[in-house]
Amino acid sequence: MAIVGMKKLTLVGLHDDRHRILTRLMEIGAVDIASAEIDDELGGIFNKNTDKEDLLELSGKIAVLEGAISVLKQFDKREKPIFKVRRDMAAHDYMGMVLRRHEVLARAAEVNKTRQELLQARSGINKNLNAITNLNSWSALSIPLEVESTKNTRILKGMMPAAADLDAIGETIAGSGLAGWIEITGSDPDQKYITAYVHSDDLQPVSSILKRNGFAPVSFQGYEGKIEDNIRKIEFSISDERQKADGIEKKLAEMAVHLDEIETVYDYYTIRKEISLTDGDVASGKRIFFLEGWVPAPLEQRLYDELNEKWTVDLKFRDPDEDEEFPVLLSNGFIADSVQDITGMYSLPSPKSVDPNPVMAPFFILFFGLMLSDAGYGLVMALACGAIYFFVKLEDTMRRFMKMMMLCGIATIFWGALFGSWFGNLIPILMGDASKDISIWFAPVTDPEYLLMWSLLFGVIHIYTGLAMKAANLIKQRKYLAVVFDVLFWYVFFTGAVLLVIPFVPGVPAGLSGATGPWGGYLLMAGAVLLLLTQGRKSKNIAGKIIGGLASMYDLIGFMSDVLSYSRLLALGLATSVIATIVNEMGSMGGFSFTGVIVFILVFAVGHSLNFMLNALGAYVHSSRLQYIEYFGKFYEGGGKPFRPFKRNTKYIRIKD
């Protein structure tokens, strides 16, 4: 499997059939519609117009429905699935709901209106609660709130900073021969709430003294009577508002039974909006229209038959031109399909290159398993993700992810069994000998150098595979000499370097390390000469060719650095095993008494859960890194534009035709 071939489509049809044809194209979902190109000769016949009024109307209806959905979801008491997935809906049920769309839209508007009533009720409650809080700050005030003066006295109510010295202020007033008395009627950590009783003749000078010390007047307009009476009235009002809010919430809960209907109509108007937007890419004349787009080659005949059967249309399909970019659609088998999203996070491949997923998938999965490398963890992951993959309805992206994690779990079981790690050393502990080696191949904890050797070897194989993918790209582009110059010669050069370095790699058998040195020297020299003669070939003069050839050999350092990056396979694999073993040792410190078993179970569950989550995340991240940097760096040509078919991009339902 690989990148799906594309055909460029030009469709000409009658203007009166335009909307129906677009609707059917959306239902088929096989055409990536491009904006039609109108050349100068056709400029007076065709034009592209977007119906802005229609779009504005549709956007308004979608906003109404979206607001109602957000409200009703809060009151929907139905059990929610763990994984969000669109619900399936038969086409005739969908059309029945479409016929009732105006009724549903009105209900959505009613939901939004009810929501506003609820917000107003809640706002009133909050306003009254704040009022009670403010009044409580004046709890010691003994006079009615509306009283601001008597025959000869003015009453000032206000706030002053907590640090204000009221005794000193009182002495200042008295020392000035003024008639005034200050009473503290409440306080909090930041403010003092005071009531000042001032003779009418001394109001202005006393007010000036108070203001100089931070006094801010407070008005109780709208209140009458004492503090406690007003608080009691407000509490009654809050009780009424809460009853009103409860009634509104109950009404919204009853309306929540219509959530599915509103979601369906929301998707209907979303579909209509998408059609209206796409209509702006179509070239329209008085009697005919035409559109352009890309169609997967395997669907060409089906689309031709489908449209010609129902309408009078002229369909033309052609292969992409030599320099024409077309959208990328990947089609892969069971294993390669699982890692497509890993590649997509980096970049889709160029349409002129090969699809890396079939070759990348085994490396990603095996490297993940090697870095997690505990058969117990792998068994849990494979069973859990496999059960979700096979028995739970999922959207495509989540389904691929679960499949990938299931395969990674199987790879983890493989490596864990080879290394003898089942929840660390759990099996030896249960057998009564924690040091017992149950590995099928070898135990990395006791022989890490041997695993380092294999990790570096896997790195060389991975990088060499990347060079082979580069050769495949060059062959696809018919650059056959470049395959020899830019791939084969590098194989010779890098292989010589690898053979020279083998004697210095820990864990390599002595007999092998002694035999590789001479061959490595010959290959390295031969490769260097070949690269010197070819890598500067694009330069126009001899000096440039030589300098280009010499500069290319610097890539040997990058190659060696890339190979060393695969030591992370050793590091993460050891980390998982060592931490798992420590968890088991901590849990078994209580012995096999009743209390010791309980402690072991608790430590086992918590410790291994944390170890699994942290190291599974590390394995995912670092396995991705090895693909993105060490592997893709050797050949990958990204920048592909994804194939985006004109289809029903619904949010809540999947229409089953």
Side-chain angles (χ1 to χ4, degrees):
M1 298 292 181
I3 298 174
V4 177
M6 289 285 166
K7 295 284 188 176
K8 184 66 179 287
L9 164 70
T10 302
L11 183 155
V12 180
L14 297 177
H15 188 276
D16 292 342
D17 295 333
R18 182 182 60 177
H19 184 78
R20 288 188 292 273
I21 291 174
L22 283 176
T23 301
R24 185 56 187 155
L25 287 176
M26 172 177 270
E27 292 171 355
I28 297 172
V31 183
D32 186 343
I33 296 178
S35 181
E37 296 183 5
I38 304 174
D39 56 30
D40 294 337
E41 294 181 1
L42 300 177
I45 302 174
F46 295 100
N47 60 73
K48 293 188 292 184
N49 292 314
T50 300
D51 191 338
K52 295 182 179 179
E53 291 185 4
D54 184 50
L55 282 176
L56 186 62
E57 180 184 352
L58 291 171
S59 297
K61 291 177 178 179
I62 289 171
V64 171
L65 293 161
E66 191 172 28
I69 290 170
S70 66
V71 174
L72 295 184
K73 278 186 174 180
Q74 302 173 36
F75 298 93
D76 184 15
K77 304 303 181 183
R78 292 175 297 180
E79 186 177 351
K80 307 296 190 300
I82 298 175
F83 301 99
K84 183 180 178 182
V85 64
R86 292 172 297 170
R87 65 183 187 278
D88 294 332
M89 190 171 193
H92 67 274
D93 293 333
Y94 170 73
M95 292 309 301
M97 192 59 62
V98 169
L99 294 175
R100 296 176 48 222
R101 62 187 181 276
H102 299 299
E103 172 191 337
V104 175
L105 187 62
R107 184 174 290 119
E110 183 184 357
V111 170
N112 290 328
K113 180 181 177 182
T114 306
R115 177 198 183 194
Q116 289 300 319
E117 294 173 359
L118 178 61
L119 291 177
Q120 290 175 4
R122 288 175 175 173
S123 176
I125 292 171
N126 291 331
K127 181 179 178 181
N128 285 328
L129 288 173
N130 289 332
I132 289 177
T133 300
N134 292 332
L135 290 175
N136 280 328
S137 300
W138 298 84
S139 56
L141 183 64
S142 57
I143 62 174
L145 291 171
E146 73 276 13
V147 177
E148 295 181 351
S149 63
T150 61
K151 183 178 180 180
N152 297 310
T153 305
R154 292 295 180 89
I155 302 171
L156 304 178
K157 307 181 190 76
M159 300 180 295
M160 298 189 74
D165 188 345
L166 296 183
D167 291 337
I169 295 172
E171 292 176 0
T172 300
I173 293 172
S176 301
L178 304 172
W181 174 60
I182 300 174
E183 175 187 25
I184 298 177
T185 47
S187 66
D188 59 39
D190 300 316
Q191 304 283 346
K192 290 178 181 176
Y193 302 91
I194 69 167
T195 303
Y197 302 89
V198 184
H199 194 279
S200 299
D201 295 338
D202 298 333
L203 177 61
Q204 185 174 352
V206 171
S207 295
S208 298
I209 294 172
L210 291 175
K211 288 180 180 178
R212 286 199 302 270
N213 287 275
F215 178 79
V218 173
S219 172
F220 289 95
Q221 187 176 359
Y223 290 101
E224 293 182 357
K226 294 187 176 181
I227 290 288
E228 56 269 23
D229 295 332
N230 281 277
I231 290 177
R232 195 174 300 110
K233 290 178 183 178
I234 295 174
E235 287 175 344
F236 285 135
S237 178
I238 290 175
S239 178
D240 292 339
E241 291 286 350
R242 281 180 174 160
Q243 288 181 2
K244 181 180 178 182
D246 290 343
I248 296 173
E249 289 179 356
K250 184 178 179 181
K251 181 179 178 181
L252 288 172
E254 293 171 352
M255 288 179 164
V257 299
H258 301 292
L259 179 59
D260 288 350
E261 298 176 356
I262 295 175
E263 289 177 344
T264 301
V265 175
Y266 171 91
D267 279 340
Y268 164 75
Y269 282 112
T270 302
I271 291 171
R272 277 193 51 185
K273 183 179 179 181
E274 185 67 23
I275 293 174
S276 185
L277 285 170
T278 304
D279 199 26
D281 292 328
V282 175
S284 299
K286 290 183 177 180
R287 300 191 181 279
I288 63 173
F289 76 95
F290 79 88
L291 62 82
E292 296 176 325
W294 293 97
V295 180
L299 300 178
E300 174 186 347
Q301 191 61 45
R302 178 198 166 189
L303 188 66
Y304 183 88
D305 295 340
E306 177 86 19
L307 296 180
N308 272 292
E309 181 182 351
K310 296 182 178 180
W311 296 285
T312 302
V313 292
D314 179 55
L315 296 171
K316 293 288 188 294
F317 297 91
R318 64 169 177 83
D319 293 324
D321 294 333
E322 188 69 27
D323 58 347
E324 190 174 17
E325 293 289 327
F326 55 87
V328 175
L329 174 65
L330 302 178
S331 177
N332 287 299
F334 184 81
I335 294 177
D337 173 74
S338 66
V339 300
Q340 281 185 191
D341 296 311
I342 300 294
T343 303
M345 286 190 293
Y346 184 83
S347 175
L348 283 176
S350 165
K352 304 294 185 181
S353 65
V354 296
D355 179 12
N357 291 296
V359 180
M360 186 192 84
F363 284 108
F364 180 92
I365 293 167
L366 288 172
F367 286 167
F368 183 102
L370 181 54
M371 284 188 272
L372 192 55
S373 69
D374 185 279
Y377 295 170
L379 183 63
V380 171
M381 187 163 68
L383 290 176
C385 295
I388 294 172
Y389 174 75
F390 286 110
F391 302 112
V392 178
K393 187 168 69 171
L394 302 169
E395 295 290 347
D396 291 342
T397 301
M398 182 57 69
R399 184 173 174 79
R400 284 195 296 268
F401 178 78
M402 286 300 165
K403 179 168 62 174
M404 182 183 70
M405 288 292 101
M406 177 185 68
L407 294 172
C408 288
I410 294 171
T412 304
I413 296 173
F414 170 75
W415 289 112
L418 289 181
F419 298 153
S421 180
W422 294 82
F423 296 106
N425 61 343
L426 177 63
I427 293 178
I429 287 177
L430 296 177
M431 295 171 64
D433 182 4
S435 62
K436 186 176 179 62
D437 184 3
I438 61 169
S439 62
I440 297 175
W441 187 14
F442 72 97
V445 175
T446 59
D447 196 358
E449 291 184 349
Y450 194 54
L451 180 57
L452 176 61
M453 179 197 73
W454 280 102
S455 298
L456 298 179
L457 176 60
F458 294 149
V460 172
I461 295 171
H462 196 213
I463 292 172
Y464 274 25
T465 305
L467 289 173
M469 294 292 289
K470 181 177 182 179
N473 277 337
L474 293 171
I475 291 171
K476 187 173 182 179
Q477 297 165 14
R478 300 179 182 178
K479 298 178 180 179
Y480 303 113
L481 276 179
V483 175
V484 178
F485 296 156
D486 297 335
V487 177
L488 182 60
F489 289 174
W490 281 108
Y491 271 136
V492 175
F493 189 56
F494 287 156
T495 302
V498 169
L499 294 177
L500 278 177
V501 170
I502 280 179
F504 304 99
V505 177
V508 175
L512 178 62
S513 63
T516 60
W519 287 102
Y522 299 145
L523 289 174
L524 187 67
M525 291 299 297
V529 172
L530 293 171
L531 293 174
L532 180 63
L533 295 174
T534 59
Q535 293 306 295
R537 63 185 183 276
K538 295 182 180 179
S539 296
K540 296 182 179 180
N541 55 69
I542 297 296
K545 294 179 184 295
I546 294 174
I547 293 172
L550 288 172
S552 70
M553 295 182 194
Y554 182 78
D555 287 352
L556 178 61
I557 296 175
F559 171 75
M560 290 300 183
S561 175
D562 289 344
V563 172
L564 287 175
S565 293
Y566 290 83
S567 61
R568 70 189 66 240
L569 298 174
L570 160 73
L572 270 75
L574 281 181
T576 305
S577 298
V578 170
I579 295 173
T581 300
I582 292 173
V583 169
N584 291 338
E585 290 177 354
M586 291 174 59
S588 60
M589 291 174 65
F592 285 96
S593 64
F594 176 78
T595 304
V597 170
I598 298 299
V599 171
F600 180 82
I601 293 173
L602 292 174
V603 173
F604 180 91
V606 175
H608 283 290
S609 296
L610 290 173
N611 189 34
F612 168 72
M613 289 187 290
L614 292 174
N615 284 288
L617 177 62
Y620 177 85
V621 169
H622 287 282
S623 186
S624 299
R625 182 199 178 280
L626 290 175
Q627 313 307 318
Y628 292 158
I629 299 177
E630 277 68 37
Y631 182 58
F632 282 177
K634 299 296 175 289
F635 73 94
Y636 195 62
E637 297 179 12
K641 174 187 174 183
F643 176 70
R644 301 188 186 280
F646 178 54
K647 64 178 183 179
R648 295 162 170 164
N649 290 312
T650 54
K651 187 175 181 180
Y652 300 106
I653 62 172
R654 286 187 292 196
I655 304 168
K656 297 295 183 180
D657 295 316

